[in-house]
């Protein structure tokens, strides 16, 4: 009996155990399958993502390479063909502009969809949705700045029968045709499958938002905030001595004058779509003056707001605002060219990324025959040539952001004082979706000057030229069709932002440069500092187009733009300071030096100049250093290091040891002279390290020291507070001693082994941020101001993003070649991912023919109307 | 076990031994008739049932399952390895064979079913390893294509094992009740 009971108990226990076991199996399975199906937090839904029949593996199909095919696209007017060369550069033949731009949209979406979507997300403040919390700072900044509002406004104001609107619609149709294909096939690029977030349809607003993002990258500058911190620490007098409006050194403006003061072209505040409507905000308390009791923001130090804002901005992606001087372009004609006609070279400098900002393409339709670099996300060609003219561009780098300190009061929340009245700030609320986190709510306040960027201590708003909608796309499309300089210049009248120097050469032997875009003019005040927001320093307009820097067929037969100040000191308008943000002029000076010393130049000469790594400043300073060291007592290692300099040809090649000694010396020399001032005056470097750290990256300091060393060696700057009086020689000797010591510690005792390539590298970084998908870092030549520029520090990730040389041999005849550091396909598994990098690195160019002359690999896509 | 029988396929004698081990308590009392019947003869788990199909049939089933998993993968049926595991878990419980046999069949079907499409892609020139490297880099894993290929197969394997586990435990409930 007892045994039976025990048996029954055992059986019961076993049943319970089985039930528990089963429950555990089911629950664990449900959890695992649920996670595989839905993902968790930032972990993607791995079940579908890694499914071998689809998922991420389907992107292998797109990486395989392409074959000829016929595709039916909705909205296509008539048959369009796309023939590819062996590197994937397409030549598009269409019978209308609409078909042409639809095909371009289809191609961009086929080969650069991830890039398109990431750009769109960045511009529209939706990065965190895919990146998680890491993207919130960028989204907040972009929504505050208002790229999306600007894009929407530009689109709603654009006449829908205009060429730009038609191109935008056609381009969007092309992108969406590709999206429809992918929705059907499921062959999405890996990033979408991994995240489970798939792109929505493309719209004209998306293109305009991407365009705004590029504008921001080129001309959104925070330098007034930096100036404010300098003023608070160094004092205004010293700040303006170290960072003057007009650079201290000799530069080579392409427009040397004479100049005309043509007054101001009005730019109504209502045009700024990211500002409060001036008379729309109800003035609750009209009054002619804000009494001191009313105002508390005036008592807060402006530097605290500037510091807070700068600290926030330094956490943004590098592409959020202007970082480095960008780009070279030059032209020659007449006796300076071998054929006696005209030649053009251009290399816009941008972040060198994989994939590149550029997608090379040749476009052909009745009335349009253009070839060159297209900007991913935008129809048309931004840098290139057509059958009659060629053009390239550089960044003007005039001041395009004005910061305003608003007068506010704690007694009047959400109001500001402007033009004699307290006004309501306009507010807009956003919700930022965050992958793997809670949505972030954001309220953007706007004053009449623009969006409020901070309310820490002081309320600071920003007027940015990029927030004035413009029809730059219309200008670009017209430029693509222009047949001569008059049409080219007329087209650019519509170009407003970013401000660019457009360099030009044509088949009739003409050359020129036109600075197109908004150059803001304020009523009064010093716009390089934050301005008062009460109305007296408001924007009144822009420099009239006829008065912007321009040049055409100069008597010397050469023209060059390399971000130097484009005009001389007598130019009647304020356009920016030596810090905000013109280049030192060393690249431009070197280019002019080369062009002046060469006659009857060929494309090979232009290509050689694009790859030139001679340091213009070193040629001037090194002899002066040698002279300062003549009387110094040097040890054996210092003497050998000096020998490296003495035998150096001033070229920053990878194998050069003199280059290493020179660059380290110059960095230390800057530090020896300016750092004591920074320390004594407590310059808050931690607020904006890149902008305030004493280094060759700050143009004004290089210019100052160059001039003092060569012409004013006893300048008071060599005698900082609390230090013994000094001069250029003593500072150079100290810097040289430190240089040899540092390099000895880092690279060993033998100066003959201190090759530049050991300390200086270049990297072409993956846009995705995945370092394994980047190219490099690899030892590299060049430095911050060589023509072949390597900007962005000792591991450069900034430089010539596109190199092009066009030689005109007749009215409608030219040979053109170009290269960019990347490839046509963004898929890292594709053979076209980094196709061009080897040639680019070696300084070689590839042919850049018009569509009719392109060399097809035999792969042809036929795009047919659908339905 | 004959030479023709692959590993994991049990003989009738082994099956009977397993049946006894599984169903009869270690120290049985004078057992109720129903229980004895369940363990030794009549009902759904009779000797005839526990014998199960022959090796060829089993491996044909495994092959079919692998093909099913591969085809399912092509139509977003990423959970097919779990289903196959579930089926093999249930079947092996019904066949009264050891769990490891179910694990083996499900593993082969799942891995085969997911490896085949990858091999197929590679055979037709798609850069599978390079794609895996891209995905690894994007996911912040060591940038090797084999890491993601391994992860892919691991997901198939985990699903299959879970399927077997659920299949066998659920079956054991019914077995016990029967």
């Amino acid at each position: 009996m007892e045994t039976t009971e025990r048996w029954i108990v055992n059986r019961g226990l076993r049943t319970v155990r089985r039930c528990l076991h089963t429950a555990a199996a089911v629950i664990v399975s449900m959890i695992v399958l649920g996670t595989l199906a839905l993902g968790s937090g930032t972990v993607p839904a791995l079940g579908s993502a890694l499914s071998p029949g689809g998922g991420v593996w389907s992107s292998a199909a797109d990486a395989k390479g392409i074959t000829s095919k016929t595709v039916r696209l909705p909205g296509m007017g008539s048959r369009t063909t796309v023939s590819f060369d062996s590197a994937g550069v397409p030549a598009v033949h269409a019978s209308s502009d609409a078909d042409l731009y639809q095909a371009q949209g289809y191609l961009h979406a086929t080969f650069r969809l991830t890039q398109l979507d990431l750009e769109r997300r960045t511009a529209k403040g939706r990065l965190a949705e895919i990146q998680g919390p890491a993207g919130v700072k960028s989204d907040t900044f972009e929504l505050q700045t208002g790229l999306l509002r600007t894009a929407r406004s530009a689109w709603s104001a654009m006449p829908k029968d205009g060429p730009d609107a038609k191109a935008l619609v056609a381009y969007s149709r092309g992108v969406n045709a590709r999206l429809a294909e992918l929705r059907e096939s499921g062959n999405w690029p890996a990033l979408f499958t991994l995240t489970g977030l798939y792109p929505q349809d493309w719209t004209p607003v998306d293109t305009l938002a991407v365009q705004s993002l590029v504008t921001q990258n080129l001309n959104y500058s925070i330098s007034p905030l930096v100036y404010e911190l300098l003023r608070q620490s160094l004092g205004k007098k010293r700040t303006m001595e170290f960072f003057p409006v007009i650079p201290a050194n000799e530069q080579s403006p392409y427009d040397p004058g004479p100049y005309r003061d043509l007054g101001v072209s009005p730019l109504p505040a209502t045009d700024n779509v990211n500002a409060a409507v001036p008379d729309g905000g109800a003035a609750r308390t009209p009054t002619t003056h804000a009494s001191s009791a009313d105002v508390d923001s005036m008592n807060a130090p402006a530097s605290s707001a500037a510091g807070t804002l700068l600290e926030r901005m330094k956490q943004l992606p590098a592409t959020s605002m202007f970082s480095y001087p960008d780009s070279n372009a030059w032209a020659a004609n007449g006796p300076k060219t071998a054929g006696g006609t005209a030649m053009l070279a251009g290399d816009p400098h941008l972040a060198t990324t994989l994939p590149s900002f550029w997608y090379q393409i040749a476009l052909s339709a009745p009335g349009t025959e253009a070839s060159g670099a297209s900007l991913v996300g935008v129809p048309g060609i931004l840098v290139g040539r057509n059958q009659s003219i060629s053009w390239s561009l550089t960044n003007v780098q005039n001041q395009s952001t004005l910061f305003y300190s608003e007068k506010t009061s704690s007694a009047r929340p959400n109001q500001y004082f402007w033009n004699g009245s307290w006004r309501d700030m306009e507010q807009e609320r956003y919700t930022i979706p965050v992958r793997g986190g809670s949505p972030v709510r954001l309220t953007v306040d706007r004053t009449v000057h623009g969006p409020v960027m901070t309310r820490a201590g002081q309320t600071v708003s920003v007027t940015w030229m990029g927030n004035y909608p413009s029809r730059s796309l219309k200008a670009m499309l017209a430029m693509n069709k222009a047949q001569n300089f008059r049409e080219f210049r007329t087209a650019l009248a519509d170009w407003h932002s970013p401000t660019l120097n457009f360099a030009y050469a044509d088949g009739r032997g003409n050359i020129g440069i036109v600075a197109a875009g908004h150059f803001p003019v304020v009523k009064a005040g010093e716009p390089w500092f934050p301005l008062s927001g009460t109305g007296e320093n408001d924007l009144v307009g822009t420099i009239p187009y006829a008065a912007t820097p321009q040049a055409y067929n100069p008597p010397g037969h050469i023209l060059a733009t390399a971000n130097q100040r484009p005009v001389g000191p007598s130019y009647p308008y304020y356009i920016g300071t030596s810090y905000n943000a013109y280049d030192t002029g060393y690249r431009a000076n070197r280019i002019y030096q080369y062009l002046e010393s060469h006659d009857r130049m060929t494309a090979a000469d232009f290509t050689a100049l694009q790859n030139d790594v001679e340091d213009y400043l070193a040629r001037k300073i090194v002899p002066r250093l040698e002279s300062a060291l003549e009387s110094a007592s040097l040890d054996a290692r210092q003497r050998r290091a000096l020998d490296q300099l003495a035998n150096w040809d001033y070229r920053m090649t990878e194998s050069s040891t003199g280059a290493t000694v020179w660059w380290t010396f110059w960095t230390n020399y800057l530090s020896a002279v300016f750092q004591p001032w920074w320390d004594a005056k407590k310059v808050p470097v931690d607020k904006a390290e890149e902008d305030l750290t004493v280094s060759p990256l700050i143009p004004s300091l290089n210019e100052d020291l160059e001039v003092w060393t060569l012409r004013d060696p006893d300048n008071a700057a060599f005698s900082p507070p609390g230090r013994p009086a000094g001069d250029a020689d003593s500072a150079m000797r100290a810097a040289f001693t430190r240089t040899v010591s540092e390099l000895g510690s880092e690279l060993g005792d033998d100066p003959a082994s201190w090759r530049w390539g050991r300390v200086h590298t270049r990297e072409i970084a993956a846009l995705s941020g995945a370092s394994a998908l980047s190219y490099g870092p690899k030892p590299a030549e060049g430095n911050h101001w060589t023509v072949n520029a390597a900007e962005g520090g000792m591991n450069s990730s900034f430089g010539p993003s596109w190199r092009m040389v066009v030689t005109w041999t007749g009215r409608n005849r030219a040979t053109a070649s170009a290269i960019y550091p990347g490839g046509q396909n963004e898929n890292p598994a594709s053979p076209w991912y980094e196709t061009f990098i080897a040639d680019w690195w070696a300084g070689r160019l590839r042919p850049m023919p018009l569509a009719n002359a392109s060399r097809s690999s035999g792969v042809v896509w036929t795009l047919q109307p659908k339905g | 076990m004959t030479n023709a029988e692959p590993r994991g396929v049990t003989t009738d004698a082994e099956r009977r031994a397993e049946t006894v081990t599984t169903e009869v308590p270690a120290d049985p009392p004078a057992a109720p008739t129903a229980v004895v019947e369940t363990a030794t003869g009549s009902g759904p788990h009779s000797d005839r049932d526990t014998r199960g199909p022959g090796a060829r049939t089993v491996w044909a089933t495994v092959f079919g399952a692998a093909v099913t998993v591969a085809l399912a993968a092509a139509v977003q049926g990423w959970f097919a390895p779990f289903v196959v595991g579930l089926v093999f878990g249930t079947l092996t419980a019904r066949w009264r064979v050891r769990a490891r046999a179910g694990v083996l069949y499900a593993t082969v079907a799942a891995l085969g079913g997911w490896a085949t499409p990858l091999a197929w892609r590679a055979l037709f020139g798609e850069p599978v390893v390079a794609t895996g490297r891209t995905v690894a880099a994007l996911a912040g894993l060591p940038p090797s294509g084999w890491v993601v290929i391994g992860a892919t197969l691991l997901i198939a394997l985990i699903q299959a094992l879970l399927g077997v586990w659920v299949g066998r435990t659920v079956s054991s409930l019914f077995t016990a009740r029967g």
Side-chain angles (χ1 to χ4, degrees), chain A residues 22 29 191 275 386 391 416 426-427 455 504 518 600 627-628 793:
Chain A
T22 305
S29 297
L191 189 71
N386 61 26
W391 65 93
Y416 65 105
E426 286 183 6
Q427 292 190 320
R455 301 183 81 166
Y504 170 96
H518 281 329
R600 302 184 56 75
S627 140

Side-chain angles (χ1 to χ4, degrees), chain A residues 603-626:
Chain A
D605 294 314
F606 272 29
T607 304
L609 180 53
Q610 283 181 327
N611 290 285
D612 182 89
V613 287
E614 179 169 322
D615 188 313
Y616 177 85
L617 182 64
R619 189 176 278 281
K620 296 175 86 173
I621 297 292
V622 168
R624 183 72 185 76
L625 169 64
E626 288 174 309

Side-chain angles (χ1 to χ4, degrees), chain A residues 94-102 167 170 365-368 481:
Chain A
S95 54
S96 71
D97 279 355
D99 286 353
L100 196 62
Y101 300 132
Q102 179 168 354
T368 302
K481 293 171 184 282

Side-chain angles (χ1 to χ4, degrees), chain A residues 158-489:
Chain A
M158 192 179 288
K160 299 302 178 284
D161 58 350
D164 41 355
K166 287 180 178 171
L168 286 170
V169 169
Y171 181 87
S172 302
R173 214 164 39 223
V175 175
N176 293 334
R178 175 60 183 162
L179 289 174
E181 279 182 0
L182 290 172
R183 286 185 191 119
E184 198 174 314
S185 71
N187 289 348
W188 294 98
L191 189 71
F192 301 116
T193 322
L194 267 182
T195 58
L197 287 170
Y198 298 93
Q200 296 176 339
D201 272 353
W202 194 264
T203 67
V205 170
D206 294 335
T207 291
L208 294 169
V210 167
Q211 212 178 308
S212 285
L213 186 67
V214 177
T215 299
Q216 181 184 285
N217 178 226
L218 290 175
N219 78 358
Y220 192 102
S221 166
I222 54 173
S223 65
L225 303 175
V226 178
Y227 261 105
E228 181 58 34
L229 294 184
L230 290 167
R231 176 164 65 176
Q232 294 292 331
S233 50
L234 290 174
K236 185 176 177 186
K237 181 170 173 289
R238 186 70 61 190
T239 297
M240 296 317 298
E241 279 174 11
F242 287 175
F243 301 90
V245 173
I246 303 295
N249 66 341
E250 281 176 27
Q251 299 209 358
S252 309
Y254 66 74
D255 180 1
Y259 307 115
R260 292 181 298 168
D261 186 341
L262 299 178
V264 174
S265 288
L267 186 63
T270 45
D271 284 6
N272 184 347
V273 298
N274 279 285
V277 179
D279 297 316
R284 286 185 189 166
T285 315
T287 173
T288 49
H289 299 288
S291 72
S292 58
D294 269 340
V295 176
D296 52 15
S297 71
M298 303 302 284
N299 300 323
S303 58
S304 71
T308 306
L309 194 46
L310 283 170
E311 274 193 89
R312 220 184 88 202
M313 286 179 166
K314 76 182 180 187
Q315 296 172 39
L316 296 174
T319 49
S320 292
M321 61 193 69
F322 173 75
S323 305
Y324 305 107
D326 322 286
S327 320
N328 307 309
W330 60 86
N333 67 356
K336 283 288 179 183
T337 65
T341 53
M343 291 171 63
L344 175 76
D347 54 294
H349 299 182
L350 291 170
T352 46
T353 57
L354 278 171
S356 165
F357 281 84
W358 306 113
Y359 179 81
Q360 190 176 340
I361 193 167
L363 300 172
S364 176
T368 302
E369 196 69 50
S371 178
S374 69
L375 199 58
V376 173
V378 180
I381 288 185
L382 188 53
V383 185
R385 59 166 291 210
N386 61 26
Q387 69 275 41
S388 302
I389 72 165
S390 52
W391 65 93
S392 188
L393 49 86
T394 68
N395 194 351
V396 173
Q397 294 176 193
N398 63 305
Q399 186 173 344
S400 296
T401 39
L402 303 166
F403 285 85
Y404 285 91
S405 298
E406 303 291 357
K407 188 176 282 190
T408 56
S409 165
S410 53
R412 299 173 180 278
N414 298 325
Q415 285 196 307
Y416 65 105
F417 188 80
W418 179 73
N419 271 0
S421 301
W422 286 98
R423 314 254 170 179
D424 288 336
M425 290 183 195
E426 286 183 6
Q427 292 190 320
E428 187 154 345
R429 291 179 175 79
Y430 297 96
T431 300
I432 301 170
V434 182
R435 181 178 172 78
S438 305
V440 173
R441 300 192 193 290
L442 172 72
T443 301
V444 178
D445 299 317
R446 282 191 289 270
T447 72
V448 69
H449 302 108
V452 172
M453 302 307 286
T454 183
R455 301 183 81 166
Q458 211 172 59
T459 300
V460 175
S461 59
V462 63
T463 298
W464 171 48
M465 291 301 102
N467 275 342
Y468 290 79
S470 83
R471 297 187 68 186
S472 298
L473 181 60
K474 180 184 167 210
M476 188 181 86
L477 298 176
M479 183 173 69
N480 285 190
K481 293 171 184 282
Q483 298 298 306
N484 53 49
F485 188 73
R486 184 180 52 78
E487 290 178 11
F488 176 76
R489 191 172 172 280

